[in-house]
């Protein structure tokens, strides 16, 4: 199991930056006063000159040390470019449970050099089984029967983040660095202000700060839309070894579905997705959340209940599912000048296809390559490279966002007649897995 190497304990130490215009730039301060976040427009010429004199200067700043942010930083590092990653939390956000990576995600991890570090820690999933809430098997698939090159593994989010972070040079990630203000200068460069008053002057801003992205909001994006479903998630722990075959197990009910998948020799990821007209109040009491999850499926197959019983209370979470549809000619572009978005900050999608993390990883390598080529080129502009990234990625992520939403909505049907049709005709006789896996065909060369 991966652990964070000792250099992560010293991420706030001063360091010089290979692209800095200040050889002895002031290190980031990390006091923690709180004040209301503000996003401002262009400063006046006088304020620009003052800010330029006071700000620490960086070539590339990434906001957010999640999967997209760390993968982007590592991809740039592999291509010889150093970045600064700002993370508002005090440490890596290793909460959460597990995520499923298909072959497109693994191809990216191989390209950035950490695929084999992770494979040995997680089981390869051979296929999937779909059952009704009474436990009747509706259909089963083997992934390699549909696609010989397919690779599916459920990966602990904590270990993925730690593995990415361990490959970065010391000093790249700065914690307790919450963004307060963004200002664009008259020449298109960007000034960032943190809540502790630290100012950064950067040529390139990459927003990887998740579904509630401050960078996306500044660029004109709307808040993600709640899709009408919430999900409980957890990670069951079997200290003597979990008993399940390496398959994804789905259970479909009326307006309610659940699933579980072995992650490793001792851990099993599970989820329960349920309809709710609004997200409802946030509940932080894990014991309450666990009991609510069990109540939803108390009459379902006993395997699921046992997994939940063996889940530590503090690993159970409940989240509303959201997405954002990037309508052409209506939604803002992925980039605006020298600011650009990656992953959930740009295209949050529901988890019904298992592609949220995979697409964030794809974004990271595509953006890094285009950015590296532009920075090293004497003719190509950074702005043009960022536009090219958005043009290439939009036809990929927009259809996936819609498909994930449609699949989830169909699986959350409540009408008993429709559910009977789904269980007795659509799933057993009509659904084909092959076409549903075509979106995992993403080629990615090593960086």
């Amino acid at each position: 199991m991966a652990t964070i190497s000792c250099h992560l304990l010293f991420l706030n130490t001063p360091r010089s930056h290979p692209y800095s215009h200040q050889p002895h730039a002031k290190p980031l301060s990390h006091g923690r006063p709180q004040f209301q976040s503000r996003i401002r427009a262009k400063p006046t010429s006088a304020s620009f000159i003052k800010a330029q004199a006071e700000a620490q200067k960086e070539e590339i700043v990434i906001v957010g040390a999640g999967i997209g942010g760390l993968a982007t930083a590592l991809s740039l590092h592999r291509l010889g470019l150093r970045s600064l990653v700002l993370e508002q939390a005090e440490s890596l956000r290793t909460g959460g449970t597990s995520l499923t990576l298909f072959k497109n995600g693994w191809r990216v991890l191989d390209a950035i050099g950490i695929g084999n570090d992770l494979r040995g820690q997680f089981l390869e999933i051979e296929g999937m089984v779909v059952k009704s809430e009474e436990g009747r098997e509706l259909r089963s698939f083997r992934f390699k029967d549909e696609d010989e090159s397919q690779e599916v593994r459920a990966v602990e989010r904590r270990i993925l983040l730690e593995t990415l972070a361990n490959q970065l040079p010391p000093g790249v990630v700065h914690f307790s660095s919450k963004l307060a203000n963004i200002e664009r200068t008259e020449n298109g460069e960007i000034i960032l202000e943190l809540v502790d008053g630290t100012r950064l002057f950067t040529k390139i801003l990459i927003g990887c700060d998740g579904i509630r992205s401050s960078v996306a909001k500044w660029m004109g994006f709307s808040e993600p839309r709640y899709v009408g479903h919430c999900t409980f998630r957890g990670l069951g722990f079997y200290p003597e070894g979990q008993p399940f075959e390496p398959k994804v197990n789905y259970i479909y009910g009326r307006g309610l579905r659940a699933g579980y998948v072995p992650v490793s020799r001792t851990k099993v990821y599970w989820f329960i997705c349920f309809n709710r007209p609004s997200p409802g109040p946030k509940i932080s009491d894990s014991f309450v959340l666990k009991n609510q999850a069990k109540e939803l499926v108390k009459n379902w197959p006993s395997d699921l209940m046992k997994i939940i019983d063996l889940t530590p209370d503090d690993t159970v979470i409940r989240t509303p599912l959201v997405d954002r549809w990037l309508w052409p000619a209506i939604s803002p572009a992925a980039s605006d000048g020298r600011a650009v978005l990656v992953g959930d900050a740009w295209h949050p999608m529901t988890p019904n296809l298992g592609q949220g993390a995979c697409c964030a990883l794809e974004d990271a390598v595509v953006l890094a390559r285009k950015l590296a080529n532009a920075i090293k080129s004497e003719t190509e502009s950074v702005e043009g490279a960022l536009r090219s990234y958005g043009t290439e990625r939009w036809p990929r992520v927009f259809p996936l966002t819609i498909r994930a939403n449609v699949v989830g909505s169909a699986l959350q049907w409540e009408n008993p007649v429709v559910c009977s049709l789904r269980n007795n005709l659509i799933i057993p006789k009509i659904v084909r897995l092959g076409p549903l896996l075509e979106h995992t065909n993403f080629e990615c060369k090593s960086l």
Side-chain angles (χ1 to χ4, degrees), residues 29 46 85 118 142-143 151 167 176 180 185 232 244 277 416 429 444:
S29 169
V85 181
L118 292 165
R142 284 180 54 85
F143 290 126
E151 180 178 7
Q167 295 293 314
S176 300
T185 69
F232 288 102
F244 301 104
K429 298 181 179 181
C444 188

Side-chain angles (χ1 to χ4, degrees), residues 162-179:
E162 290 173 352
T163 303
L164 288 165
N166 280 337
Q167 295 293 314
L168 292 170
V172 169
V173 182
H174 283 248
F175 298 117
S176 300
S177 299
K178 185 175 182 179
L179 185 64

